[in-house]
């Protein structure tokens, strides 16, 4: 039997890759204007990094990581997200000693052993953005504004930014207790996962998708009513700034996110058309993480979106990928000429295709047609002798004679 790809991991073919290229090009353009630089960090990190940042009791660390011992016996993990590795790099490089904020983005594959479905893969790709060394609410507003601008420029359908504040170590424990008091009497109505979450992370019950849990959590206390003064004014400033900047957002007291490092502002961009996996992007503030990983007490905020999920919302590219010229050459002399003409044209950036074998004219035209070539240059022994070929326009059907020494100039892209 032939070997198949690993479950939940998929190949990205050129048509799909073109969508990604468009998304990546736009991201680079938008992020550039906000002063972000691109970073690459390794796919493999020490397992401990994710346990200490994402949190031991999260779904990701508990049951979704690709973890293995390497040949030296070290426990390594294929990164399930980018934030932890990026913060690790920031601390290791001591870049925190330079004046901040430090604005970085990363594009690359992530790995989570989740149950595969539409929009959910085991290898997926994120564009991840982080601002390190900043605690001010302007930082939150700026990054949410950047996400909003990017999604609007991409021309997606309806996307809403959901926003919440998760409080800080000063006020969250009080809220956690109030929530536990409320959910404690409803324990029996919760799903098995949520019953366990009551002990580890009761906030996660709020965004459990199980109907029984959603019902049980109806009327639960809101974090917003438990925020300390500092968190309240931080959140109010964020809302004021993004509101003034025209960001469409919605407060969502149920938005708690699945990673433990978040405090204060958290957000998700949600698309109407994606069904269950409707979060295109998610992020938030994580003051305390840099310190917890051995760095200074600096704040950070960021978000990430999944390229696969975003691409589900994008239409296919309108212009199909097709060669600009197909050279249908008959006989060895014409084929040799076509080989060097193609080399020259390709050097000019023109997409040229040749027949791989010495086939009949009919067969070559059929292939040119199949490839959707815009034009076909037909040459045989007579044309080589006369120094002239037939140039056929495949869409319009017209045909003209062209001196062979003018072919390169005809297809040369206009000089800038
Ligand atoms: P996250 O919400 O776990 O956050 O993932 C962010 C995005 O990655 C999701 O909104 C989704 O588009 C995509 N994604 C996640 N899991 C999958 C999957 N299994 N298949 C396909 N796409 C997926 C984080 O990863 C945080 N590190 C974001 C962040 C950056 N927070 C602060 N800075």
């Amino acid at each position: 039997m032939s070997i198949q790809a690993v479950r939940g991991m998929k190949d990205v073919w050129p048509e799909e890759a073109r969508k990604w290229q468009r998304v990546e090009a736009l991201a680079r353009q938008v992020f550039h204007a906000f002063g972000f630089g691109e970073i690459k960090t390794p796919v493999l990190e020490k397992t401990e990094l994710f346990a200490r940042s994402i949190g031991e009791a999260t779904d990701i660390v508990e049951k979704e990581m690709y973890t293995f011992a390497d040949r030296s016996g070290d426990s390594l993990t294929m990164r399930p997200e980018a934030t932890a590795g990026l913060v690790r790099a920031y601390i290791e490089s001591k870049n925190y000693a330079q004046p901040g904020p430090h604005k970085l983005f990363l594009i690359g594959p992530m790995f989570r052993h989740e149950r595969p479905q539409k929009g959910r893969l085991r290898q997926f790709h994120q564009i991840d953005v982080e601002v390190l060394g900043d605690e001010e609410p302007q930082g939150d507003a700026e990054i949410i504004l950047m996400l909003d601008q990017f999604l609007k420029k991409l021309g997606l359908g309806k996307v809403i930014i959901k926003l919440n504040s998760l409080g800080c170590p000063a006020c969250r424990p009080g809220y956690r207790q109030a929530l536990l008091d409320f959910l404690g009497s409803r324990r029996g109505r919760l799903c098995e996962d949520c019953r366990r979450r009551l002990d580890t992370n009761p906030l996660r019950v709020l965004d459990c998708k199980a109907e029984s849990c959603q019902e049980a959590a109806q009327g639960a206390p809101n974090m917003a009513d438990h925020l300390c003064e500092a968190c309240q004014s931080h959140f109010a400033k964020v809302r004021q700034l993004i509101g003034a900047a025209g960001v469409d957002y919605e407060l969502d007291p149920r938005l708690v996110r699945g990673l433990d490092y978040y405090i204060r502002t958290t957000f998700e961009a949600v698309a109407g058309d994606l069904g269950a996996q409707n979060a295109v992007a998610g992020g938030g503030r994580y003051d305390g993480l840099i310190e917890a990983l051995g760095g200074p007490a600096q704040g950070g905020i960021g978000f990430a979106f999944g390229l696969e999920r975003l691409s589900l919302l994008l239409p296919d590219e309108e212009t199909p990928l097709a060669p600009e010229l197909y050279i249908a050459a008959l006989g060895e002399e014409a084929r040799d000429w076509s080989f060097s003409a193609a080399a020259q044209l390709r050097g000019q950036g023109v997409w040229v295709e040749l027949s791989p074998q010495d086939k009949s004219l009919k067969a070559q035209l059929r292939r040119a047609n199949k490839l959707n070539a815009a034009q076909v240059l037909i040459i045989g022994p007579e044309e080589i002798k006369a120094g002239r070929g037939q140039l056929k326009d495949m869409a319009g059907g017209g045909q003209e004679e062209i001196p062979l020494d003018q072919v390169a100039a005809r297809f040369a892209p206009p000089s800038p």
Side-chain angles (χ1 to χ4, degrees):
M1 213 177 73
S2 62
I3 298 170
Q4 298 184 338
V6 177
R7 185 165 137 78
M9 306 202 175
K10 70 171 193 151
D11 306 305
V12 179
W13 287 80
E15 285 297 335
E16 173 77 0
R18 279 175 82 202
K19 281 202 217 175
W20 291 24
Q21 282 163 11
R22 184 158 80 81
V23 175
E24 287 175 23
L26 181 68
R28 287 195 165 92
Q29 184 198 325
V30 172
F31 299 170
H32 168 78
F34 282 80
F36 283 78
E38 184 165 359
I39 182 173
K40 300 275 182 201
T41 67
V43 168
L44 283 180
E45 296 276 2
K46 303 223 169 104
T47 303
E48 190 194 350
L49 173 69
F50 302 112
R52 269 170 56 186
S53 54
I54 300 171
E56 298 271 13
T58 56
D59 286 353
I60 297 180
V61 173
E62 251 181 8
K63 47 189 185 193
E64 294 171 2
M65 295 203 306
Y66 282 89
T67 296
F68 58 92
D70 78 352
R71 288 174 193 278
S72 342
D74 294 326
S75 177
L76 302 182
T77 291
M78 310 203 35
R79 62 180 177 201
E81 56 107 57
T83 313
L86 224 139
V87 170
R88 194 260 320 130
Y90 180 66
I91 298 168
E92 197 173 338
S93 67
K94 297 198 169 59
N95 272 349
Y96 54 75
Q98 306 298 325
H102 302 263
K103 303 179 187 181
L104 296 163
F105 73 96
L106 180 149
I107 304 181
M110 309 292 152
F111 304 83
R112 294 185 195 174
H113 195 276
E114 295 193 81
R115 196 166 50 79
Q117 54 174 272
K118 189 178 173 207
R120 196 205 271 158
L121 293 146
R122 290 184 172 171
Q123 175 175 322
F124 58 98
H125 296 74
Q126 279 187 348
I127 300 193
D128 177 272
V129 173
E130 311 291 351
V131 180
L132 302 161
D134 178 47
E135 295 85 40
E136 298 301 321
Q138 284 80 353
D140 308 41
E142 204 171 279
I143 208 161
I144 294 171
L145 177 65
M146 184 168 91
L147 173 61
D148 186 62
Q149 264 195 21
F150 166 75
L151 293 174
K152 282 183 177 150
K153 285 193 178 174
L154 204 54
L156 293 182
K158 193 172 163 56
V159 178
I160 290 178
I161 299 209
K162 300 212 163 175
L163 189 68
N164 193 19
S165 174
L166 291 180
C168 69
C171 51
R172 203 187 303 165
Y175 173 63
R176 189 177 189 272
Q177 192 53 52
L179 189 63
L180 272 177
D181 292 346
F182 177 88
L183 291 173
S185 58
R186 294 165 164 78
R187 193 184 191 100
R189 288 156 65 186
L190 300 176
C191 73
E192 201 181 309
D193 272 349
C194 281
R195 262 178 261 158
R196 203 168 29 85
R197 283 177 186 141
L198 278 188
D199 302 320
T200 54
N201 188 356
L203 271 70
R204 287 293 290 163
V205 176
L206 294 178
D207 78 342
C208 177
K209 301 280 182 285
E211 219 170 281
S212 59
C213 297
Q214 291 196 352
E215 274 171 31
Q218 253 171 34
N222 277 341
M223 183 71 229
D225 303 322
H226 291 259
L227 292 178
C228 62
E229 234 170 82
C231 284
Q232 261 180 40
S233 67
H234 193 278
F235 196 41
K237 188 74 193 170
V238 174
R239 288 188 341 246
Q240 178 210 322
L241 290 171
I242 62 173
V247 174
D248 292 322
Y249 74 92
E250 220 170 60
L251 290 180
D252 181 357
R254 293 283 167 93
L255 179 70
V256 294
R257 313 269 306 127
L259 303 95
D260 277 356
Y261 49 59
Y262 292 117
I263 73 154
R264 293 193 164 164
T265 316
T266 46
F267 54 94
E268 275 184 7
V270 173
D273 309 337
L274 274 186
Q277 303 308 319
N278 63 357
V280 184
R285 178 161 280 292
Y286 47 81
D287 302 354
L289 176 61
I290 298 175
E291 203 176 2
L293 291 177
Q298 292 184 349
I301 183 165
F303 68 78
F305 56 84
L307 276 165
E308 287 83 355
R309 242 177 244 186
L310 207 57
S311 131
L312 286 173
L313 297 172
L314 292 172
D316 288 336
E317 298 292 318
E318 272 166 18
T319 42
L321 286 172
E324 289 143 271
L325 179 66
Y326 190 101
I327 307 182
L330 298 158
E332 191 172 348
E333 226 185 326
R335 284 174 58 75
D336 286 351
W337 181 89
S338 73
F339 189 83
S340 50
Q344 190 186 351
L345 283 161
R346 288 166 174 164
Q348 292 171 195
V350 181
W351 181 0
V352 183
E353 286 296 331
L354 303 175
S355 170
Q357 295 104 20
D358 193 2
K359 288 269 172 73
S360 70
L361 181 60
K362 202 167 150 206
Q364 295 199 43
L365 286 177
R366 210 181 305 125
R367 180 157 183 267
N369 212 12
K370 200 156 174 227
L371 290 173
N372 249 325
Q375 305 203 55
V376 179
L377 179 67
I378 302 166
I379 45 169
E382 295 302 314
E383 285 76 10
I384 291 291
K385 220 179 280 157
R388 307 178 77 80
Q390 294 295 322
L391 190 62
K392 188 173 162 66
D393 180 51
M394 296 299 273
Q399 191 160 316
E400 64 174 300
E401 203 176 69
I402 179 172
L404 294 181
D405 57 7
Q406 282 176 26
V407 171
R410 170 74 73 96
F411 284 89
S415 42

